[in-house]
Amino acid sequence: MNITKENIDALNAVVKVEISAADYQEKVAKILLDYRKKADIPGFRKGQVPMGMVKKQYGKSIMIDEVNKMLQESLNNFLIEEKLDILGNPLPRMQEDFNWDKEDYSFEFELGLAPEFDVKLDDKKKITQYNIIADKELLGKEVENIQKRYGKIISKNVVEEGVNITGTFVNEEKEINKKSTIELASVKGKANQKKLIGKKVGDVVELNTKGLFDDDHKLMGALGVDHDAIHGLDIDVTFTIEEVNMTELGEVNQELFDKVFGPDVVKSKEELVAKIKEDAEKQFKTQADQQLLNDVTEYLVENTKFDLPSEFLKKWLAVAGEKPMTAEQAAEEFDRSEKGLRYQLIEGKILKDNKLQINFEELKDFTKGFVKTQMAQYGQLNPEEKDLEDIVQRVLSNQDETKRLQEQLVSQKLLNFYKENITFKVKEMNYEAFVKEVYK
């Protein structure tokens, strides 16, 4: 057997595998002998079938099978031994004059080679790192939300400012018939609020859905309509009022603190506000970190220049999936996935060059922390070590869950690495300003 590689250019190569009769004949003969021992053919005793008959019936298919096995194994070993960093999988070149009746065979495979490049993290163009703070307005709203949550519900006969209204939205054409509770304060526009104020239980109000609430997602919940259908929905609905309630705010006292955080964790309004601020800014930090990771990813993809074996990858995409693609479909798929592929290569290089790869013990510890956080949300603050180990083992026995946790751990390592090695432009703002700036 002989294997050679010819470089077409820096990103494309062809591997040629030559297999002669001497490479496979002994193995084929051994298998045929085994077939002869087991063959059960009428007119012959078991094990006494003439070898010529066995060879005629099974010889060619066994030979083809063995040559293919040898071909695949030798190609895989060659790629490993030569330390070839390839994209996709080797693509066999079709040979019009190929004939299995010959004894010696030659196979060719196209390879798409991964590009060589450097990743620069010290560019002059600064990436924004957001520091999101919980301002007084947000903290005040959160205190009021807690007071509402633990407040007293008072039934009302008439709709007035500050009430919650329970009723049924109906539009027969769109098959909407949904009982919902809405806050009057969330209804957008004085005209819409005026239609509701003064109405009593049993009254029917006609409303238009366009701009009905301060947030389209509230309309989605109120009408029971899916996300894709809600944006720009402009229909008339009837709303039959069934119940009107007002929440009398709970008193800000020790009883309220204990209900929210447990006995004696918080002992004053100042401590309550401080605790809300701490919890909110922890959540904001997670969101800001994710945005930073997204922005660094975009920056690296845009500013790390290298070529890809595009034509090879399009050909590979055409045959790689469950359903073959046309050349046009493969080209479209390549365009959609190119940015993701570029970042995979950049990420892989950063992980390799800076020895950031994860090992099993790290993944196990990370999973344990994840499980403890989940358990804490259900009040299990001090789980037994054996229980933790059992749960971690079960989680990591699930391939999909393991992959998801690996990706999270890699993201965390990369985020820490970026924070240590990139100088960011720090921008402090409240959450509302962050949402407006980032999500436009």
Coordinates of all heavy atoms in Angstrom, one line a residue, residues 46-110:
K46 N -21.8 -29.8 5.4 CA -21.3 -28.5 6.0 C -19.7 -28.6 6.1 O -19.2 -29.5 6.7 CB -21.9 -28.3 7.4 CG -21.7 -26.9 7.9 CD -22.6 -26.7 9.2 CE -22.5 -25.2 9.6 NZ -23.3 -24.9 10.8
G47 N -19.1 -27.6 5.6 CA -17.6 -27.5 5.6 C -16.9 -28.2 4.5 O -15.7 -28.1 4.3
Q48 N -17.7 -28.8 3.6 CA -17.1 -29.5 2.4 C -17.5 -28.9 1.1 O -17.3 -29.5 0.0 CB -17.6 -31.0 2.4 CG -17.2 -31.8 3.7 CD -15.7 -31.8 3.8 OE1 -15.0 -32.1 2.8 NE2 -15.2 -31.6 5.0
V49 N -18.0 -27.7 1.1 CA -18.4 -27.0 -0.1 C -17.1 -26.6 -0.8 O -16.1 -26.1 -0.2 CB -19.1 -25.6 0.2 CG1 -19.5 -24.9 -1.1 CG2 -20.4 -25.9 1.0
P50 N -17.0 -26.9 -2.1 CA -15.8 -26.6 -2.9 C -15.4 -25.1 -2.8 O -16.3 -24.2 -2.9 CB -16.1 -26.9 -4.3 CG -17.2 -27.9 -4.2 CD -18.0 -27.5 -3.0
M51 N -14.1 -24.8 -2.6 CA -13.7 -23.4 -2.4 C -14.0 -22.6 -3.6 O -14.3 -21.4 -3.5 CB -12.2 -23.4 -2.1 CG -11.6 -22.0 -1.9 SD -12.5 -21.0 -0.7 CE -11.6 -21.6 0.8
G52 N -13.9 -23.2 -4.8 CA -14.2 -22.5 -6.0 C -15.6 -21.9 -6.0 O -15.9 -20.8 -6.5
M53 N -16.6 -22.7 -5.5 CA -18.0 -22.3 -5.4 C -18.1 -21.1 -4.4 O -18.8 -20.2 -4.6 CB -18.9 -23.5 -5.0 CG -20.3 -23.1 -5.0 SD -21.4 -24.5 -4.6 CE -21.2 -25.5 -6.1
V54 N -17.4 -21.3 -3.2 CA -17.5 -20.2 -2.2 C -16.9 -18.9 -2.7 O -17.4 -17.9 -2.6 CB -16.7 -20.7 -0.9 CG1 -16.7 -19.5 0.1 CG2 -17.4 -21.9 -0.3
K55 N -15.8 -19.1 -3.4 CA -15.1 -17.9 -4.0 C -15.9 -17.2 -5.0 O -16.0 -16.0 -5.1 CB -13.8 -18.4 -4.6 CG -12.8 -17.2 -4.9 CD -11.4 -17.8 -5.2 CE -10.4 -16.7 -5.4 NZ -9.1 -17.2 -5.8
K56 N -16.6 -18.1 -5.9 CA -17.4 -17.5 -6.9 C -18.6 -16.7 -6.4 O -19.0 -15.7 -6.9 CB -17.9 -18.6 -7.9 CG -18.7 -18.1 -9.1 CD -19.1 -19.3 -10.0 CE -19.9 -18.8 -11.2 NZ -20.3 -19.9 -12.0
Q57 N -19.2 -17.3 -5.3 CA -20.4 -16.7 -4.7 C -20.1 -15.5 -3.8 O -20.8 -14.5 -3.8 CB -21.2 -17.7 -3.9 CG -22.5 -17.3 -3.4 CD -23.4 -18.4 -2.9 OE1 -23.0 -19.6 -3.1 NE2 -24.5 -18.1 -2.3
Y58 N -19.0 -15.6 -3.0 CA -18.8 -14.5 -2.0 C -17.5 -13.7 -2.3 O -17.3 -12.7 -1.6 CB -18.7 -15.1 -0.6 CG -19.9 -15.9 -0.2 CD1 -19.9 -17.3 -0.1 CD2 -21.1 -15.2 0.1 CE1 -21.0 -18.0 0.3 CE2 -22.2 -15.9 0.5 CZ -22.2 -17.3 0.6 OH -23.3 -18.0 1.0
G59 N -16.6 -14.2 -3.1 CA -15.2 -13.6 -3.2 C -15.2 -12.1 -3.5 O -14.5 -11.4 -2.9
K60 N -16.0 -11.7 -4.5 CA -15.9 -10.3 -4.9 C -16.4 -9.4 -3.9 O -15.8 -8.3 -3.6 CB -16.7 -10.1 -6.2 CG -16.5 -8.7 -6.9 CD -17.0 -8.7 -8.3 CE -16.7 -7.3 -8.9 NZ -17.2 -7.3 -10.3
S61 N -17.6 -9.7 -3.3 CA -18.1 -8.8 -2.2 C -17.2 -8.7 -1.0 O -17.1 -7.7 -0.4 CB -19.5 -9.3 -1.8 OG -19.5 -10.6 -1.3
I62 N -16.6 -9.9 -0.6 CA -15.7 -9.9 0.5 C -14.5 -9.0 0.2 O -14.0 -8.2 1.0 CB -15.2 -11.3 0.9 CG1 -16.4 -12.1 1.5 CG2 -14.1 -11.3 1.8 CD1 -16.2 -13.5 1.7
M63 N -14.0 -9.1 -1.1 CA -12.8 -8.4 -1.5 C -13.1 -6.9 -1.4 O -12.3 -6.1 -0.9 CB -12.4 -8.8 -2.9 CG -11.1 -8.1 -3.4 SD -11.6 -6.5 -4.3 CE -12.4 -7.2 -5.7
I64 N -14.3 -6.5 -2.0 CA -14.6 -5.0 -2.0 C -14.8 -4.5 -0.6 O -14.3 -3.4 -0.3 CB -16.0 -4.9 -2.8 CG1 -15.8 -5.1 -4.3 CG2 -16.5 -3.4 -2.6 CD1 -17.0 -5.2 -5.1
D65 N -15.4 -5.3 0.3 CA -15.6 -4.9 1.7 C -14.2 -4.7 2.4 O -14.0 -3.7 3.1 CB -16.4 -6.0 2.4 CG -16.9 -5.5 3.8 OD1 -17.2 -4.3 3.9 OD2 -16.8 -6.3 4.7
E66 N -13.3 -5.6 2.2 CA -12.0 -5.5 2.8 C -11.2 -4.4 2.3 O -10.5 -3.7 3.0 CB -11.2 -6.9 2.6 CG -11.7 -8.0 3.5 CD -11.8 -7.6 5.0 OE1 -10.8 -7.1 5.5 OE2 -12.9 -7.8 5.6
V67 N -11.2 -4.1 1.0 CA -10.5 -3.0 0.4 C -11.0 -1.7 0.9 O -10.3 -0.8 1.3 CB -10.6 -3.0 -1.2 CG1 -10.1 -1.7 -1.8 CG2 -9.8 -4.2 -1.8
N68 N -12.4 -1.6 1.1 CA -13.0 -0.4 1.6 C -12.6 -0.2 3.1 O -12.3 1.0 3.5 CB -14.5 -0.4 1.5 CG -14.9 0.0 0.1 OD1 -14.4 0.9 -0.5 ND2 -16.0 -0.7 -0.4
K69 N -12.5 -1.2 3.9 CA -12.1 -1.1 5.3 C -10.6 -0.7 5.4 O -10.3 0.2 6.1 CB -12.2 -2.5 6.0 CG -13.7 -2.9 6.3 CD -13.6 -4.2 7.0 CE -15.1 -4.7 7.3 NZ -15.1 -6.1 7.9
M70 N -9.8 -1.3 4.5 CA -8.4 -1.0 4.5 C -8.2 0.5 4.1 O -7.4 1.2 4.6 CB -7.7 -1.9 3.5 CG -6.2 -1.9 3.6 SD -5.5 -3.2 2.5 CE -6.0 -4.7 3.4
L71 N -9.0 0.9 3.1 CA -8.9 2.3 2.6 C -9.2 3.3 3.7 O -8.5 4.2 3.9 CB -9.8 2.4 1.4 CG -10.0 3.8 0.8 CD1 -8.7 4.3 0.2 CD2 -11.1 3.8 -0.3
Q72 N -10.3 3.0 4.4 CA -10.8 4.0 5.4 C -9.8 4.0 6.6 O -9.4 5.1 7.0 CB -12.2 3.6 5.9 CG -12.9 4.6 6.8 CD -13.1 5.9 6.0 OE1 -13.7 5.9 4.9 NE2 -12.6 7.0 6.5
E73 N -9.3 2.9 7.0 CA -8.4 2.8 8.1 C -7.1 3.5 7.8 O -6.5 4.3 8.5 CB -8.2 1.3 8.5 CG -7.3 1.2 9.7 CD -7.1 -0.3 10.1 OE1 -7.9 -1.1 9.7 OE2 -6.1 -0.6 10.9
S74 N -6.6 3.2 6.6 CA -5.3 3.8 6.2 C -5.4 5.3 6.0 O -4.4 6.0 6.4 CB -4.8 3.1 4.9 OG -5.7 3.3 3.8
L75 N -6.5 5.8 5.5 CA -6.7 7.2 5.3 C -6.7 7.9 6.6 O -6.1 8.9 6.8 CB -7.9 7.5 4.5 CG -8.3 8.9 4.2 CD1 -7.2 9.6 3.4 CD2 -9.6 9.0 3.5
N76 N -7.5 7.3 7.6 CA -7.6 7.9 8.9 C -6.3 8.0 9.6 O -5.9 9.0 10.2 CB -8.6 7.2 9.8 CG -10.1 7.4 9.3 OD1 -10.4 8.3 8.7 ND2 -10.9 6.5 9.7
N77 N -5.5 6.9 9.5 CA -4.2 6.8 10.2 C -3.2 7.8 9.5 O -2.5 8.5 10.2 CB -3.6 5.4 10.1 CG -4.3 4.4 10.9 OD1 -5.0 4.8 11.9 ND2 -4.2 3.1 10.6
F78 N -3.3 8.0 8.2 CA -2.5 9.0 7.5 C -2.7 10.4 8.0 O -1.8 11.1 8.3 CB -2.7 8.8 6.0 CG -1.9 9.8 5.2 CD1 -0.5 9.5 4.9 CD2 -2.4 11.0 4.7 CE1 0.2 10.4 4.2 CE2 -1.7 11.8 3.9 CZ -0.3 11.6 3.7
L79 N -4.0 10.7 8.1 CA -4.4 12.1 8.6 C -3.8 12.4 10.0 O -3.4 13.4 10.3 CB -5.9 12.3 8.5 CG -6.6 12.2 7.2 CD1 -8.1 12.3 7.3 CD2 -6.0 13.3 6.2
I80 N -3.9 11.3 10.9 CA -3.4 11.5 12.2 C -1.9 11.6 12.3 O -1.4 12.4 12.9 CB -3.9 10.3 13.1 CG1 -5.4 10.3 13.3 CG2 -3.3 10.3 14.5 CD1 -6.1 9.1 13.8
E81 N -1.3 10.7 11.5 CA 0.2 10.6 11.6 C 0.8 11.9 11.0 O 1.8 12.4 11.4 CB 0.7 9.4 10.8 CG 0.5 8.1 11.5 CD 0.6 6.9 10.6 OE1 1.0 7.1 9.4 OE2 0.3 5.8 11.0
E82 N 0.2 12.4 9.9 CA 0.7 13.6 9.3 C 0.2 14.9 10.0 O 0.6 16.0 9.6 CB 0.2 13.7 7.8 CG 0.8 12.6 6.9 CD 2.3 12.7 6.7 OE1 2.7 13.9 6.4 OE2 3.0 11.7 6.9
K83 N -0.6 14.7 11.0 CA -1.2 15.8 11.8 C -1.8 16.9 10.9 O -1.6 18.1 11.0 CB -0.1 16.5 12.7 CG 0.5 15.5 13.7 CD 1.6 16.1 14.5 CE 2.2 15.2 15.5 NZ 3.3 15.7 16.3
L84 N -2.7 16.4 10.0 CA -3.3 17.3 9.1 C -4.6 17.9 9.7 O -5.5 17.1 10.2 CB -3.7 16.6 7.8 CG -2.5 16.1 6.9 CD1 -3.0 15.3 5.7 CD2 -1.7 17.3 6.5
D85 N -4.7 19.2 9.8 CA -5.9 19.8 10.4 C -6.8 20.1 9.2 O -6.6 21.1 8.4 CB -5.4 21.1 11.0 CG -6.5 21.7 11.9 OD1 -7.6 21.1 12.0 OD2 -6.3 22.8 12.5
I86 N -7.8 19.3 9.1 CA -8.7 19.4 7.9 C -10.1 20.0 8.3 O -10.5 19.9 9.5 CB -8.9 18.1 7.2 CG1 -9.6 17.0 8.1 CG2 -7.6 17.5 6.7 CD1 -10.0 15.8 7.3
L87 N -10.8 20.5 7.4 CA -12.2 21.0 7.6 C -13.1 20.0 6.8 O -12.8 19.6 5.7 CB -12.3 22.4 7.0 CG -11.4 23.5 7.6 CD1 -11.7 24.8 6.9 CD2 -11.6 23.6 9.1
G88 N -14.2 19.7 7.5 CA -15.1 18.8 6.9 C -14.5 17.4 6.9 O -13.7 17.0 7.7
N89 N -14.9 16.6 5.9 CA -14.3 15.2 5.7 C -13.7 15.1 4.3 O -14.1 15.8 3.4 CB -15.4 14.2 5.9 CG -15.9 14.1 7.4 OD1 -15.1 14.2 8.3 ND2 -17.2 14.0 7.5
P90 N -12.7 14.1 4.2 CA -12.2 13.9 2.8 C -13.3 13.5 1.8 O -14.2 12.8 2.2 CB -11.2 12.7 3.1 CG -10.9 12.8 4.5 CD -12.1 13.3 5.2
L91 N -13.2 14.1 0.6 CA -14.2 13.8 -0.4 C -13.5 12.9 -1.5 O -12.5 13.3 -2.1 CB -14.6 15.1 -1.0 CG -15.6 16.0 -0.3 CD1 -15.9 17.3 -1.1 CD2 -16.9 15.3 0.0
P92 N -14.1 11.8 -1.7 CA -13.6 10.9 -2.8 C -13.7 11.5 -4.2 O -14.8 12.0 -4.5 CB -14.4 9.6 -2.6 CG -15.6 10.0 -1.9 CD -15.3 11.2 -1.1
R93 N -12.7 11.4 -5.0 CA -12.8 11.8 -6.4 C -13.4 10.7 -7.2 O -12.9 9.6 -7.1 CB -11.4 12.2 -6.9 CG -11.0 13.6 -6.6 CD -9.7 14.0 -7.3 NE -9.4 15.4 -7.2 CZ -8.3 15.9 -7.7 NH1 -7.4 15.1 -8.3 NH2 -8.1 17.2 -7.6
M94 N -14.4 11.0 -8.0 CA -15.0 10.0 -8.8 C -14.1 9.7 -10.0 O -13.5 10.5 -10.6 CB -16.4 10.5 -9.3 CG -17.4 10.9 -8.2 SD -17.6 9.5 -7.0 CE -18.4 8.3 -8.1
Q95 N -14.0 8.3 -10.3 CA -13.2 7.9 -11.4 C -14.1 7.1 -12.4 O -14.7 6.1 -12.1 CB -12.1 6.9 -10.9 CG -11.2 7.6 -9.9 CD -10.1 6.6 -9.4 OE1 -9.5 5.8 -10.2 NE2 -9.9 6.6 -8.1
E96 N -14.3 7.7 -13.6 CA -15.2 7.1 -14.5 C -14.8 5.7 -15.0 O -15.6 4.9 -15.3 CB -15.3 8.0 -15.8 CG -16.1 9.4 -15.5 CD -16.2 10.2 -16.7 OE1 -15.9 9.7 -17.8 OE2 -16.6 11.4 -16.5
D97 N -13.5 5.5 -15.1 CA -13.0 4.2 -15.6 C -12.7 3.2 -14.5 O -12.0 2.2 -14.7 CB -11.8 4.4 -16.5 CG -10.6 5.0 -15.7 OD1 -10.9 5.6 -14.6 OD2 -9.5 5.0 -16.1
F98 N -13.2 3.5 -13.2 CA -12.9 2.6 -12.1 C -13.5 1.2 -12.3 O -14.7 1.1 -12.8 CB -13.4 3.2 -10.8 CG -13.0 2.4 -9.6 CD1 -11.8 2.6 -9.0 CD2 -13.9 1.4 -9.0 CE1 -11.4 1.8 -7.9 CE2 -13.5 0.7 -7.9 CZ -12.3 0.9 -7.4
N99 N -12.8 0.1 -12.0 CA -13.3 -1.2 -12.2 C -12.9 -2.2 -11.1 O -11.7 -2.3 -10.9 CB -12.7 -1.7 -13.6 CG -13.4 -3.0 -14.0 OD1 -14.0 -3.7 -13.2 ND2 -13.2 -3.4 -15.3
W100 N -13.8 -2.8 -10.4 CA -13.5 -3.7 -9.3 C -13.0 -5.0 -9.8 O -12.5 -5.9 -9.0 CB -14.8 -4.0 -8.5 CG -15.1 -2.8 -7.5 CD1 -16.1 -2.0 -7.6 CD2 -14.3 -2.5 -6.3 NE1 -16.1 -1.1 -6.5 CE2 -15.0 -1.4 -5.7 CE3 -13.2 -3.0 -5.8 CZ2 -14.5 -0.8 -4.6 CZ3 -12.7 -2.4 -4.6 CH2 -13.4 -1.3 -4.0
D101 N -13.0 -5.3 -11.2 CA -12.4 -6.5 -11.7 C -10.9 -6.5 -11.8 O -10.3 -7.6 -12.0 CB -13.0 -6.8 -13.1 CG -14.5 -7.1 -13.0 OD1 -14.9 -7.7 -12.0 OD2 -15.2 -6.8 -14.0
K102 N -10.3 -5.4 -11.5 CA -8.9 -5.3 -11.5 C -8.4 -5.8 -10.1 O -9.1 -6.0 -9.2 CB -8.4 -3.9 -11.7 CG -8.7 -3.2 -13.0 CD -8.3 -1.8 -13.1 CE -8.6 -1.1 -14.4 NZ -8.2 0.3 -14.4
E103 N -7.1 -6.0 -10.0 CA -6.5 -6.5 -8.8 C -5.9 -5.3 -8.0 O -5.8 -5.4 -6.7 CB -5.4 -7.6 -9.0 CG -6.0 -8.9 -9.5 CD -5.0 -10.0 -9.5 OE1 -3.8 -9.7 -9.6 OE2 -5.4 -11.2 -9.3
D104 N -5.4 -4.3 -8.7 CA -4.8 -3.2 -8.0 C -5.7 -2.0 -8.2 O -6.2 -1.7 -9.2 CB -3.4 -2.9 -8.6 CG -2.4 -4.0 -8.4 OD1 -2.6 -4.8 -7.5 OD2 -1.5 -4.2 -9.2
Y105 N -5.7 -1.1 -7.1 CA -6.7 0.0 -7.1 C -6.0 1.3 -6.7 O -5.1 1.3 -5.8 CB -7.9 -0.3 -6.2 CG -8.5 -1.6 -6.5 CD1 -8.3 -2.7 -5.7 CD2 -9.4 -1.7 -7.6 CE1 -8.9 -3.9 -6.0 CE2 -10.0 -2.9 -7.9 CZ -9.8 -4.0 -7.1 OH -10.4 -5.2 -7.3
S106 N -6.5 2.4 -7.2 CA -6.0 3.7 -6.8 C -7.2 4.6 -6.5 O -8.1 4.7 -7.3 CB -5.2 4.3 -8.0 OG -4.7 5.6 -7.6
F107 N -7.1 5.2 -5.3 CA -8.2 6.1 -4.9 C -7.6 7.5 -4.6 O -6.5 7.6 -4.0 CB -8.9 5.5 -3.6 CG -9.4 4.2 -3.7 CD1 -8.6 3.1 -3.4 CD2 -10.7 3.9 -4.2 CE1 -9.1 1.8 -3.5 CE2 -11.2 2.6 -4.3 CZ -10.4 1.5 -4.0
E108 N -8.4 8.5 -4.9 CA -8.0 9.9 -4.6 C -9.1 10.6 -3.7 O -10.3 10.4 -3.9 CB -7.8 10.7 -5.9 CG -6.6 10.2 -6.6 CD -6.3 11.0 -7.9 OE1 -7.1 11.9 -8.2 OE2 -5.2 10.8 -8.5
F109 N -8.6 11.4 -2.8 CA -9.5 12.1 -1.9 C -9.1 13.6 -1.8 O -7.9 13.9 -1.7 CB -9.5 11.6 -0.5 CG -10.0 10.2 -0.3 CD1 -9.2 9.1 -0.6 CD2 -11.4 10.0 0.0 CE1 -9.7 7.8 -0.4 CE2 -11.9 8.7 0.1 CZ -11.0 7.6 -0.1
E110 N -10.1 14.5 -2.0 CA -9.8 15.9 -1.8 C -9.9 16.3 -0.4 O -10.8 15.8 0.4 CB -10.9 16.7 -2.6 CG -10.8 16.6 -4.1 CD -11.9 17.4 -4.8 OE1 -12.0 18.6 -4.4 OE2 -12.6 16.8 -5.6

